[in-house]
Amino acid sequence: MSSEEETQQSLSYKVHKSTLKWAPVFNMTILLSIAIISCLIRVFSVIRYESIIHEFDPWFNYRTTQYLVKEGPYALWNWYDSESWYPLGRSVGGTVYPGLMMTSGMIYWVLHKLSIPIDIRNVCVFLAPIFSAFTSLAAYGMTKEITKRSEAGLLSALFVAIVPSYMSRSVAGSYDNEGVSIFALVFTFYTFLKTVNTGSILWGVYTALAFFYMVASWGGYAFIINIIPIFVLFLLITGRSNQRIQVAYNVFYILGTLLAMQIPFVGFQALHSSEHMASHAVFLLINFLNFFSWIRNFVSKKAIITLTKFLVVFLVFSILVGVVILTLAGKTQWSGRSLTLLDPTYAKKYIPIIASVSEHQATTWSSFFFDLHYLILFSPVGLYYCYYKPTETKIFGALYTVLGVYFASVMVRLLLVLAPAVSIMAGIGISWAFRKFAKSVRSFILPKIEKPKKYRIPPEISIIGLVLLGYYCSIYVLHANFAGSEAYASPSIILSSRDRQGNRNIIDDYREAYYWLRMNTKADDKIMSWWDYGYQITGMSNRTVLVDNNTWNNTHIATVGMAMASSEEDAFEICEKLDVDYVLVIFGGILNYSGDDINKFLWMVRIGGGVYPHIKEEDYYGKGTYRVDQYATETMTNSLMYRLSYYRFDEVQTAYGQPKGYDTVRQAVIGVKGYKLRHFEEAFTSENWIVRIFKRKQRENRDGVAFTSKQTSQFTIPKETIPVTKFSKKANIKQRFTLNFNE
Amino acid sequence: MIIILIFLVNLINADSLASQKTNELREMQLRDGIIELNSTGYFYYTMEFPRPYDIVIYFVAPSCKLCNDLNEHYQKVAKFYADSGALYKSESKRAVFFATMTFNDKNKQVFEQLGFISAPNLFVSQPHIVFVPQDERERYLRDMKWTISYTDGTVTAHKFLEFINKRTGRQVDYKASTSEALTVIGVLLGALTFGALIFIIARPLFLNPKLWFIGSIIIFIICLAGVVYNIIHNVPFFTQNNKGGLQWKTNSGRQQLGFEGLFLSLGMTFVGLTMVLILKLKVLVKHQKIDPFVERLVYLTLFICIFLIVQFVEENYRQKSHYNPIYWPPRHYIKGPLNKDQGNSF
């Protein structure tokens, strides 16, 4: 060995040594940068648009938060919102997960106490990015609990920080429950695994507290309350249960359930809803087994065997019968959304309102690939690693991934729950591969430290492997960057387009229209629109709406759907009954904006038809397909939605070389032109026609008075003994003079 | 005086007729389960006063498949109603009877009157139908009838009950019969015993983490393939393209074909499995002596395999939707000049 080589070697040894020395510092620096990156990548929406609350649900959360900071927590608790679900109203305090609002309220109050006069809007806008930083830290901790390795933790933290699926729900402005609850989810798992590893009651208490935060912020807590019992059961079956597991589960279950009951929206559901059944059963089982093993010390071996047989049969049977009887008696209720998870075809059959929401659709392979990208490709490596030499925590990680993958395949939005699992698995897998490759390279360069072993991968192959994996990781980062800045940055109430010169145009029709409503209508006017826009109208226009995104009352939504699907005359009657002053429709025919009401119309028909069977979906199909052109059916062209959307549309030319009245979304010339509205008048149409608002006219003067009753179906029917003559007399008095519209 | 007398007689007559009709219907339903109406019966029991009861009528046509399929549910509902005491009037509610009418030339008139052009139909006939003025009639009937078709989705007894309850004002709930409950328990018990038996027989196998891995990967592949999506949307495995050839994938970003999902899911999982193979290859072949050159060739092939599969998956995704991973935010990536900013803050 020449002296030059020796010095080179000693240099590499030195580098190696000092790297080892500084490793913890590197570790922390990298983790910190990951946290910062996870914040920054989510701010594209503010840079490209502005600091504004996004989409639909966030507007409600924002409005509630405003109420909270203005009126205080107790007022929120008792808030009965009369501006939504007119005329029913909604008890917000009892039907909301307050975790998100409380969090931003806290931040707001603390900052104001520190004399930082930040606007509550900015707290709300930037809350999700900040929490995503916490999520990456929690993911680091969780991975470290699983593998005991920080490099796996760092990779997982990086992956989870920028995974597109999570980003879709947590960009700046996306002020939704998921923004904070994914952190709560990962943190709960982290503390739980910590308890499993240490068997410490204190960490068990932390788990329960983290779980409490999760319950307070998202309905997805059902995932935790099921996966942990399943995990414990799995360990019991495979004979891997021990004292630490018992401590972890008992503390988590008892405290967690008690704490969950403190949230008004959950309350006693924590005891009797089917989502919690697994946790009760496992709690009983684990303590029973514990008790049994204690008894074992006092009884002879033969007796024990008999006793075991008897007890196992008895226990299984009684649990089974108990559950079946409770279910049959209707004591436990499955909520529609949870049933969708167990029987994926349930929603399509029975609950159109759940099936209609795009985020409740089942997932295709392409959604998996776009939202999780290479993570989904490399998570089997992590799975293998976890199963190779399984420990309790590794089993938990693998179980979480497998269950998560199932849930995600049922509902697109549950990709969000899967995202941390897949990130952690891919992090574990890739770091394992990195480690193997690096070891082989190291044993080549530093043979003294890393002894060459028999099963090592050849070093030149390892370098190829390192390059390939490094390349894939960087592509993943770039893809996430793309997703964060292009795919998920749009606030969707502000749209942007690019013209031929490459200039960006902001399309601000929504806010224009909502502002118009705010300034030009009376404070107590009621606006009817499809439920998608309910939260935005109450949030931005401060006006009363009939239905909103809460969708708690299917019948009410169906009534609005029926109004939209009925003819103008019938719709007028319904609107009058419901006190509607304005009807708002979203129309994209001019701007080629495909998310408009005509495209959503079939869902209105379906949901309306679910409650009012006289609305038949097939009546809206012309020549077998859904269309708006000359072949559209009469029912379709007479419907209020059609009439309002295409009112005066035949006066404008929308596309070059096409006649007037050409709908750019449906790519067809509309079927009915030049019609007049009788009971509605156009009040406002936004710049690009995206929002059109129509005022309901007052009932016309009597022109053909007829002897008609308005609500025959709601007659009080006299006692059956009353003979015909008397009945009809009474009926005559009851009948009212109303207008006859059948001229 | 005479008028009052006539009135009283009328009253008593009507009273007796009413209870007579009610009794007749009740007897018929108790005997047959569901009353068969012909057109005479229809007019007598529903259109002639007095009629102090509601009649739910299920209008069917001969050789109508959907009618027959739903008949079973309808009978169940009738039974639920009868069991809950709806055959007798209660304080505020009228008695409810269940009847059926099959389309034929003689009762054509009834179908026409009610505006039925297809079958099956469910109709809740209430006493005040007689008084509905002609121009209100259409709207009234619309509320009371339900023309069932395939677009109504899966119609079950639950849906029938919901429809009828809303109109009769009664709250009759679905009750699983004892046999149904027993079936559920039986199936559950059977499954459980079966599972337990298998577990006891193959216990060592189940405790083997390798089996867990295989199981997990199978679940992984199935879920990734979007099998749930395929089931819900009834997606075929293959279709024909417009040239008549076999088509195995769609270009629409939100849709997929059965084979497409499975194939790409297999591909994606295969990447991970190949990686595992690379990492474990040495251990797998530890007993064989392999030429170093061949060994490196095998490794290289596996890497190329990974690379090509990833390429393939990306290529397929690119055809479905916009995909541009080599992306860097461009320079103009700012809001634009201030005067272009149309935003107004609330």
Side-chain angles (χ1 to χ4, degrees):
Chain A
M1 205 179 268
S2 68
S3 61
E4 199 178 307
E5 262 179 39
E6 246 173 46
T7 44
Q8 211 176 0
Q9 278 220 342
S10 66
L11 183 72
S12 42
Y13 279 116
K14 262 185 198 162
V15 169
H16 180 75
K17 222 175 156 189
S18 58
T19 321
L20 275 187
K21 199 170 130 196
W22 286 93
V25 179
F26 280 138
N27 201 350
M28 285 301 117
T29 320
I30 293 171
L31 196 57
L32 197 70
S33 344
I34 289 172
I36 291 169
I37 283 173
S38 73
C39 270
L40 290 184
I41 199 170
R42 286 167 168 81
V43 184
F44 273 118
S45 58
V46 174
I47 296 170
R48 292 189 56 206
Y49 296 91
E50 57 187 282
S51 167
I52 189 181
I53 303 291
H54 287 194
E55 291 203 314
F56 308 109
D57 289 23
W59 274 100
F60 167 75
N61 299 328
Y62 175 49
R63 186 164 155 251
T64 317
T65 315
Q66 277 178 320
Y67 189 85
L68 171 72
V69 292
K70 220 162 111 193
E71 311 279 341
Y74 285 105
L76 175 66
W77 219 252
N78 299 321
W79 186 23
Y80 196 85
D81 180 16
S82 57
E83 279 201 357
S84 56
W85 293 95
Y86 183 84
L88 310 165
R90 173 186 171 193
S91 156
V92 176
T95 58
V96 84
Y97 289 104
L100 177 76
M101 297 95 191
M102 287 294 180
T103 312
S104 28
M106 286 290 195
I107 295 175
Y108 177 83
W109 286 317
V110 167
L111 288 178
H112 274 247
K113 276 273 174 287
L114 297 173
S115 303
I116 302 173
I118 189 171
D119 185 23
I120 186 66
R121 174 166 58 97
N122 285 324
V123 176
C124 295
V125 166
F126 291 101
L127 188 75
I130 291 169
F131 266 76
S132 72
F134 296 156
T135 310
S136 55
L137 298 182
Y140 171 79
M142 184 176 163
T143 317
K144 223 179 148 190
E145 286 308 316
I146 292 179
T147 59
K148 311 275 180 206
R149 285 180 181 281
S150 12
E151 71 268 28
L154 285 179
L155 268 179
S156 305
L158 173 69
F159 290 158
V160 89
I162 58 173
V163 59
S165 161
Y166 178 30
M167 231 160 18
S168 72
R169 289 320 189 92
S170 63
V171 293
S174 184
Y175 179 56
D176 213 342
N177 291 335
E178 290 91 329
V180 297
S181 56
I182 291 302
F183 159 70
L185 178 92
V186 179
F187 191 68
T188 312
F189 287 156
Y190 162 62
T191 46
F192 181 71
L193 292 185
K194 189 95 185 168
T195 328
V196 167
N197 274 338
T198 57
S200 130
I201 290 182
L202 184 66
W203 276 100
V205 174
Y206 292 155
T207 314
L209 285 176
F211 177 66
F212 174 60
Y213 186 61
M214 177 77 190
V215 179
S217 43
W218 195 33
Y221 76 89
F223 186 71
I224 299 183
I225 199 70
N226 280 306
I227 191 174
I228 290 183
I230 289 175
F231 163 67
V232 173
L233 194 68
F234 188 83
L235 291 184
L236 281 177
I237 290 175
T238 54
R240 288 167 184 271
S241 175
N242 55 32
Q243 196 91 45
R244 286 176 281 120
I245 302 287
Q246 284 167 9
V247 170
Y249 186 72
N250 280 332
V251 176
F252 160 75
Y253 170 80
I254 296 170
L255 273 182
T257 309
L258 280 177
L259 284 172
M261 289 172 73
Q262 309 310 310
I263 304 295
F265 195 29
V266 179
F268 276 89
Q269 268 182 41
L271 291 186
H272 57 66
S273 87
S274 291
E275 282 115 341
H276 292 261
M277 279 303 154
S279 66
H280 307 322
V282 169
F283 175 70
L284 291 179
L285 187 71
I286 198 170
N287 285 304
F288 175 75
L289 287 179
N290 219 354
F291 176 69
F292 193 69
S293 65
W294 179 68
I295 283 191
R296 196 175 261 185
N297 301 331
F298 310 105
V299 190
S300 75
K301 216 169 188 186
K302 213 173 176 188
I304 277 291
I305 293 170
T306 331
L307 202 62
T308 317
K309 276 181 188 163
F310 170 73
L311 279 178
V312 164
V313 170
F314 174 75
L315 201 74
V316 165
F317 193 75
S318 57
I319 286 177
L320 198 80
V321 169
V323 168
V324 169
I325 286 174
L326 281 180
T327 313
L328 285 181
K331 288 277 184 267
T332 62
Q333 278 154 359
W334 290 93
S335 66
R337 285 191 173 104
S338 328
L339 268 181
T340 314
L341 288 178
L342 293 176
D343 175 13
T345 54
Y346 182 85
K348 177 138 201 238
K349 276 189 209 155
Y350 301 108
I351 326 170
I353 192 104
I354 291 184
S356 77
V357 182
S358 67
E359 61 185 26
H360 291 160
Q361 303 296 323
T363 318
T364 58
W365 76 270
S366 50
S367 313
F368 273 110
F369 182 71
F370 185 82
D371 274 356
L372 304 171
H373 205 233
Y374 290 154
L375 302 184
I376 204 80
L377 274 61
F378 289 105
S379 48
V381 187
L383 271 180
Y384 182 83
Y385 180 82
C386 285
Y387 285 136
Y388 181 55
K389 278 176 188 162
T391 59
E392 292 109 27
T393 46
K394 280 180 186 169
I395 290 176
F396 183 84
L399 211 61
Y400 173 26
T401 314
V402 172
L403 284 178
V405 138
Y406 169 69
F407 289 140
S409 80
V410 174
M411 244 191 233
V412 168
R413 92 185 188 141
L414 290 178
L415 273 175
L416 200 60
V417 174
L418 174 66
V422 170
S423 304
I424 287 168
M425 278 302 129
I428 291 173
I430 291 182
S431 79
W432 179 40
F434 269 142
R435 197 161 60 243
K436 279 224 153 196
F437 292 147
K439 264 187 184 167
S440 123
V441 175
R442 211 157 49 225
S443 68
F444 181 67
I445 305 174
L446 310 165
K448 273 187 209 159
I449 290 179
E450 200 75 58
K451 296 277 178 295
K453 277 186 192 161
K454 204 180 160 190
Y455 302 139
R456 218 144 255 171
I457 300 163
E460 55 272 36
I461 292 298
S462 296
I463 288 173
I464 295 179
L466 283 175
V467 169
L468 193 73
L469 281 183
Y471 170 74
Y472 281 149
C473 285
S474 43
I475 294 288
Y476 167 72
V477 172
L478 290 175
H479 172 75
N481 193 9
F482 162 75
S485 59
E486 290 276 310
Y488 295 132
S490 169
S492 88
I493 52 168
I494 313 174
L495 312 164
S496 75
S497 69
R498 204 168 281 285
D499 61 19
R500 283 187 190 165
Q501 282 79 41
N503 295 322
R504 213 163 73 106
N505 288 315
I506 293 286
I507 298 156
D508 212 359
D509 282 39
Y510 280 104
R511 287 198 292 177
E512 183 192 346
Y514 293 145
Y515 199 66
W516 183 88
L517 275 180
R518 194 186 179 97
M519 298 318 250
N520 295 287
T521 57
K522 281 183 266 159
D524 61 344
D525 276 349
K526 286 96 196 164
I527 321 286
M528 180 171 90
S529 72
W530 190 232
W531 60 265
D532 295 16
Y533 313 103
Y535 280 163
Q536 293 180 350
I537 296 172
T538 38
M540 282 189 259
S541 311
N542 198 17
R543 290 293 175 273
T544 309
V545 294
L546 276 77
V547 289
D548 65 29
N549 312 44
N550 187 240
T551 63
W552 64 274
N553 188 329
N554 189 26
T555 313
H556 211 48
I557 291 180
T559 312
V560 171
M562 173 169 75
M564 295 293 193
S566 306
S567 67
E568 204 191 327
E569 273 75 22
D570 290 347
F572 176 75
E573 298 285 335
I574 300 165
C575 289
E576 197 188 41
K577 242 185 225 172
L578 291 172
D579 261 0
V580 172
D581 298 295
Y582 290 90
V583 181
L584 181 146
V585 294
I586 304 296
F587 174 63
I590 288 205
L591 207 67
N592 195 7
Y593 172 60
S594 62
D596 68 350
D597 275 352
I598 295 279
N599 274 4
K600 289 176 184 170
F601 187 45
L602 271 186
W603 283 111
M604 305 185 201
V605 170
R606 275 175 207 150
I607 292 169
V611 177
Y612 303 99
H614 66 267
I615 304 171
K616 305 297 291 181
E617 195 179 331
E618 60 260 32
D619 291 347
Y620 297 83
Y621 289 121
K623 294 201 161 186
T625 53
Y626 179 65
R627 60 205 309 162
V628 296
D629 58 7
Q630 50 176 326
Y631 301 113
T633 57
E634 209 178 315
T635 322
M636 175 71 195
T637 53
N638 280 339
S639 67
L640 183 70
M641 180 51 70
Y642 191 95
R643 292 274 154 156
L644 297 189
S645 288
Y646 290 122
Y647 180 60
R648 290 178 58 208
F649 184 58
D650 50 340
E651 293 170 18
V652 287
Q653 185 153 25
T654 54
Y656 180 74
Q658 295 287 355
K660 285 181 174 177
Y662 177 77
D663 184 333
T664 52
V665 178
R666 265 66 57 176
Q667 303 197 337
V669 180
I670 56 169
V672 188
K673 291 180 174 180
Y675 57 82
K676 295 247 179 319
L677 294 174
R678 177 155 181 194
H679 302 290
F680 295 87
E681 60 185 346
E682 189 178 0
F684 176 80
T685 295
S686 64
E687 187 186 348
N688 300 299
W689 289 48
I690 287 186
V691 187
R692 310 197 68 184
I693 300 169
F694 293 83
K695 189 174 171 34
R696 179 178 65 90
K697 286 189 201 167
Q698 290 304 309
R699 215 171 249 287
E700 285 169 28
N701 278 336
R702 305 172 171 190
D703 46 13
V705 178
F707 217 30
T708 55
S709 68
K710 202 174 132 204
Q711 296 172 317
T712 29
S713 56
Q714 280 157 26
F715 269 172
T716 45
I717 303 298
K719 288 270 153 57
E720 53 205 48
T721 45
I722 296 172
V724 183
T725 44
K726 199 177 171 191
F727 183 85
S728 55
K729 253 186 190 168
K730 195 162 181 184
N732 279 343
I733 301 162
K734 278 245 163 189
Q735 280 167 347
R736 289 207 278 154
F737 284 95
T738 45
L739 296 175
N740 176 17
F741 295 112
N742 310 327
E743 293 180 312
Chain B
M1 189 69 191
I2 294 169
I3 294 173
I4 293 171
L5 219 96
I6 290 172
F7 180 76
L8 276 176
V9 168
N10 208 347
L11 197 119
I12 294 159
N13 265 347
D15 196 10
S16 65
L17 186 59
S19 58
Q20 185 198 335
K21 277 166 89 175
T22 317
N23 289 336
E24 281 167 10
L25 281 170
R26 187 178 302 132
E27 266 169 34
M28 276 193 277
Q29 187 165 350
L30 285 174
R31 192 183 60 217
D32 302 338
I34 283 177
I35 304 157
E36 274 282 342
L37 283 181
N38 56 16
S39 60
T40 325
Y42 175 81
F43 286 114
Y44 176 66
Y45 286 115
T46 70
M47 301 305 280
E48 277 177 26
F49 247 77
R51 46 154 301 188
Y53 43 77
D54 293 348
I55 303 187
V56 181
I57 309 170
Y58 182 54
F59 290 90
V60 294
S63 71
C64 148
K65 192 172 171 297
L66 188 59
C67 308
N68 290 333
D69 293 347
L70 297 180
N71 200 11
E72 174 197 342
H73 297 296
Y74 183 65
Q75 283 177 351
K76 259 191 213 167
V77 173
K79 194 161 180 318
F80 295 148
Y81 255 79
D83 290 347
S84 74
L87 296 183
Y88 300 89
K89 66 174 175 129
S90 65
E91 270 176 35
S92 55
K93 282 156 194 144
R94 294 182 292 274
V96 183
F97 300 107
F98 284 76
T100 178
M101 257 182 112
T102 313
F103 180 82
N104 56 35
D105 284 343
K106 285 176 192 157
N107 57 26
K108 211 163 150 188
Q109 197 196 349
V110 177
F111 279 68
E112 277 168 4
Q113 239 180 36
L114 292 171
F116 294 142
I117 45 172
S118 67
N121 297 281
L122 199 64
F123 180 63
V124 180
S125 167
Q126 293 184 324
H128 43 278
I129 184 176
V130 183
F131 302 108
V132 180
Q134 207 54 41
D135 49 351
E136 283 277 317
R137 201 177 152 76
E138 200 183 322
R139 188 176 293 162
Y140 172 75
L141 284 182
R142 206 179 60 190
D143 282 343
M144 287 299 163
K145 70 186 185 187
W146 175 15
T147 303
I148 303 161
S149 67
Y150 281 103
T151 49
D152 286 306
T154 317
V155 177
T156 56
H158 292 275
K159 281 197 181 170
F160 276 150
L161 269 179
E162 200 189 324
F163 179 84
I164 297 167
N165 279 345
K166 200 176 275 173
R167 280 151 188 87
T168 58
R170 283 176 185 265
Q171 273 307 322
V172 179
D173 286 328
Y174 185 92
K175 275 191 219 75
S177 64
T178 335
S179 64
E180 272 178 326
L182 284 177
T183 325
V184 171
I185 294 174
V187 168
L188 269 176
L189 264 180
L192 207 79
T193 344
F194 186 70
L197 268 179
I198 285 200
F199 179 73
I200 291 165
I201 293 167
R203 190 177 149 88
L205 204 65
F206 274 105
L207 297 183
N208 185 355
K210 272 181 197 143
L211 196 83
W212 303 347
F213 178 66
I214 293 169
S216 304
I217 289 297
I218 289 171
I219 295 176
F220 201 79
I221 291 173
I222 290 175
C223 291
L224 221 56
V227 168
V228 175
Y229 175 89
N230 295 350
I231 294 171
I232 290 181
H233 295 270
N234 231 341
V235 177
F237 227 56
F238 295 104
T239 52
Q240 280 195 329
N241 57 14
N242 37 21
K243 283 176 199 152
L246 197 68
Q247 190 182 354
W248 65 276
K249 60 181 180 184
T250 60
N251 285 338
S252 157
R254 288 187 175 182
Q255 291 162 3
Q256 68 171 21
L257 289 181
F259 182 75
E260 178 193 358
L262 194 63
F263 192 52
L264 280 146
S265 154
L266 276 173
M268 289 194 277
T269 320
F270 203 63
V271 173
L273 295 181
T274 316
M275 201 71 212
V276 173
L277 188 63
I278 289 175
L279 297 174
K280 281 275 147 190
L281 193 63
K282 275 280 188 143
V283 184
L284 283 178
V285 293
K286 59 185 168 189
H287 297 305
Q288 278 132 14
K289 198 96 180 103
I290 304 174
D291 181 40
F293 180 69
V294 176
E295 184 195 323
R296 281 162 176 74
L297 213 62
V298 169
Y299 273 120
L300 217 59
T301 323
L302 289 177
F303 275 127
I304 290 172
C305 197
I306 288 184
F307 186 75
L308 288 179
I309 297 173
V310 173
Q311 252 353 37
F312 176 75
V313 171
E314 285 186 319
E315 195 46 52
N316 273 297
Y317 186 77
R318 198 170 280 131
Q319 283 168 16
K320 293 178 90 71
S321 182
H322 180 74
Y323 178 63
N324 179 22
I326 314 286
Y327 170 85
W328 203 253
R331 251 178 9 136
H332 62 260
Y333 221 80
I334 45 170
K335 230 196 285 199
L338 265 182
N339 56 7
K340 285 243 167 175
D341 189 7
Q342 307 157 357
N344 49 350
S345 293
F346 281 88

